[in-house]
Amino acid sequence: MVNSSYSLQCQEIATQELAATVGIVNMGKAKASTTKKADTKLSVKRKAPASDRASKKPAKAAKAVKDPNKPKRPASAFFVFMEEFRKTYKEKHPNNKSVSVVGKAGGDKWKSLSDAEKAPYQAKAEKRKVDYNKLLQAYNKKQTEGPTNAAEEEEDESDKSKSEVNDEDDEEDESDEEEDDE
């Protein structure tokens, strides 16, 4: 009994000290006695001043610009399965508008499939991965070579409007026809 009254007194003192540090002026005894164990675990974490916080975090590096010509990574076997599953699920449940429900149903179905049933999807995913690696090698080779003359010519033509390009083609055709007439 003595021990419990002592612990209550310690709790009251701790809550009063805590209230003083947080800025609460008067915290009644009724409040202190009702929160027995919660107050012993309660601690206040103070944030460091803004100048200290700024010095601790390293500055974020600028995000690299993504090349739109780089080939996209291939879908995994699960996503190959999901392409097909979404179509069948939408046919069976035309009123469903929730993407998450379709995803959960697809995940459950994928988990229930045996390895033999997953094999065709894994084969398709592996084929896509091989194709991707070929495209990526070609892309990387092109990047190391730098811009070629063909690419520069395409950029020059893209500066002209389509009508200007067509006009040039028409002029060449007309000059060929005049030579044929003579």
Side-chain angles (χ1 to χ4, degrees), residues 35-127:
T35 56
K36 292 179 182 177
K37 291 185 180 180
D39 287 341
T40 58
K41 295 180 182 179
L42 185 63
S43 64
V44 176
K45 293 183 180 179
R46 294 184 181 177
K47 291 186 178 180
S51 60
D52 291 344
R53 282 184 274 161
S55 64
K56 289 181 183 178
K57 288 187 180 180
K60 287 187 178 182
K63 195 172 186 178
V65 177
K66 191 173 183 179
D67 186 6
N69 297 328
K70 186 174 182 179
K72 290 186 178 181
R73 292 179 64 190
S76 67
F78 172 71
F79 285 103
V80 173
F81 163 76
M82 284 300 292
E83 290 171 3
E84 187 177 302
F85 181 79
R86 281 187 200 97
K87 293 175 187 173
T88 58
Y89 192 85
K90 284 183 180 180
E91 290 172 3
K92 292 178 184 176
H93 305 91
N95 295 333
N96 183 28
K97 304 289 183 192
S98 176
V99 175
S100 62
V101 172
V102 177
K104 287 178 185 177
D108 292 340
K109 176 78 173 174
W110 178 256
K111 287 177 187 175
S112 68
L113 292 178
S114 66
D115 289 339
E117 293 171 322
K118 291 180 182 180
Y121 303 110
Q122 291 170 340
K124 287 179 186 176
E126 192 62 34
K127 183 177 182 279

Side-chain angles (χ1 to χ4, degrees), residues 5 21 43 51 84 88 93 101 105 116 136 141-142 156 161 182:
S5 65
T21 58
S43 64
S51 60
E84 187 177 302
T88 58
H93 305 91
V101 172
L136 188 63
K141 185 177 179 183
K142 199 175 200 181
D156 291 341
S161 68
E182 295 174 358

